[in-house]
Amino acid sequence: MAASGNPVEDFCQEATCSICLDYFKDPVTIVECGHNYCRACLAQSWGPLEQEASCPQCRAKAQPQQLIPNWLLANFMKLTKKLSLHGKEGLCQKHKEPLKLFCKEDQSPICMVCNLAKEHKDHDVVPAEEAAQEFKMRTRTEREQMIAGFRELHQFLKEQEKRLLIQLQEVEKEIERERE
């Protein structure tokens, strides 16, 4: 596959079956040419006439009974899925486009194609970086308010402690007087 210049895109392309255009599921390798596909995609592409099977990419004759499970690619897919869940620059699951926008109504990142779809048509959408800055500012403000609230609470508790200690001293003095 051709390199796009974006490592995340290149990584995702390498993890994608050229038949279903989705991440590999149960990947297999065609022995004759070395190309990889999802087992189900390949079976569907060949149909019932497996004796005429060929690689969908290079058209090399293929022996369906000699497909090799690609465990290395299967493990790679597990890592890819983990990375896509934790990656900073994610891709839209639906369109495989970078999530560069943020829909304020749905409170979720979206791609440029999603932005044109009717489900987000009338929504307030901003660039993801702008939304991140807004979130940081809001978080900072909330943090400062929380700290101020804790300071007030701490001051209140100090005053209560002082008042209760004075009351306790007075009770102790009263007890001492009664004892005498």
Side-chain angles (χ1 to χ4, degrees):
M1 292 189 181
S4 71
N6 180 339
V8 175
E9 279 183 35
D10 293 343
F11 187 78
C12 290
Q13 280 182 337
E14 290 300 320
T16 302
C17 171
S18 62
I19 297 174
C20 67
L21 302 177
D22 201 356
Y23 289 137
F24 286 106
K25 294 173 199 77
D26 189 16
V28 292
T29 303
I30 297 176
V31 176
E32 290 77 11
C33 65
H35 288 119
N36 299 295
Y37 302 94
C38 301
R39 184 181 299 276
C41 291
L42 205 49
Q44 185 178 8
S45 127
W46 287 341
L49 304 174
E50 286 186 353
Q51 65 270 20
E52 298 173 22
S54 65
C55 173
Q57 193 167 337
C58 68
R59 300 291 176 220
K61 294 271 185 217
Q63 301 290 324
Q65 63 277 12
Q66 291 186 2
L67 293 176
I68 300 172
N70 192 328
W71 302 117
L72 183 62
L73 187 55
N75 289 335
F76 174 75
M77 293 316 308
K78 287 178 187 172
L79 291 172
T80 301
K81 287 177 184 171
K82 283 182 186 176
L83 282 175
S84 69
L85 292 174
H86 301 296
K88 279 190 171 188
E89 186 177 321
L91 294 179
C92 174
Q93 294 294 317
K94 197 173 187 181
H95 304 109
K96 306 292 186 237
E97 294 285 326
L99 299 168
K100 293 185 175 185
L101 302 171
F102 185 79
C103 176
K104 288 185 172 185
E105 276 78 2
D106 295 334
Q107 291 290 297
S108 65
I110 61 172
C111 73
M112 299 292 238
V113 179
C114 286
N115 186 38
L116 300 173
K118 57 183 164 185
E119 64 186 290
H120 296 283
K121 185 179 179 185
D122 297 323
H123 292 181
D124 189 12
V125 174
V126 295
E129 287 182 26
E130 184 180 316
Q133 287 303 318
E134 282 181 30
F135 181 75
K136 284 179 187 175
M137 291 299 291
R138 191 172 38 198
T139 304
R140 188 175 296 130
T141 302
E142 288 175 6
R143 182 177 180 268
E144 288 168 1
Q145 289 173 345
M146 198 181 308
I147 289 171
F150 281 129
R151 283 187 181 135
E152 285 178 29
L153 183 60
H154 186 72
Q155 184 62 35
F156 171 76
L157 291 173
K158 269 186 169 180
E159 290 170 7
Q160 285 292 84
E161 179 185 28
K162 200 178 203 180
R163 190 177 58 75
L164 289 172
L165 286 173
I166 290 171
Q167 283 180 353
L168 183 62
Q169 284 176 346
E170 288 176 13
V171 167
E172 286 174 345
K173 285 178 185 177
E174 184 69 33
I175 292 173
E176 192 64 36
R177 271 185 252 142
E178 286 182 17
R179 224 188 267 168
E180 289 174 4

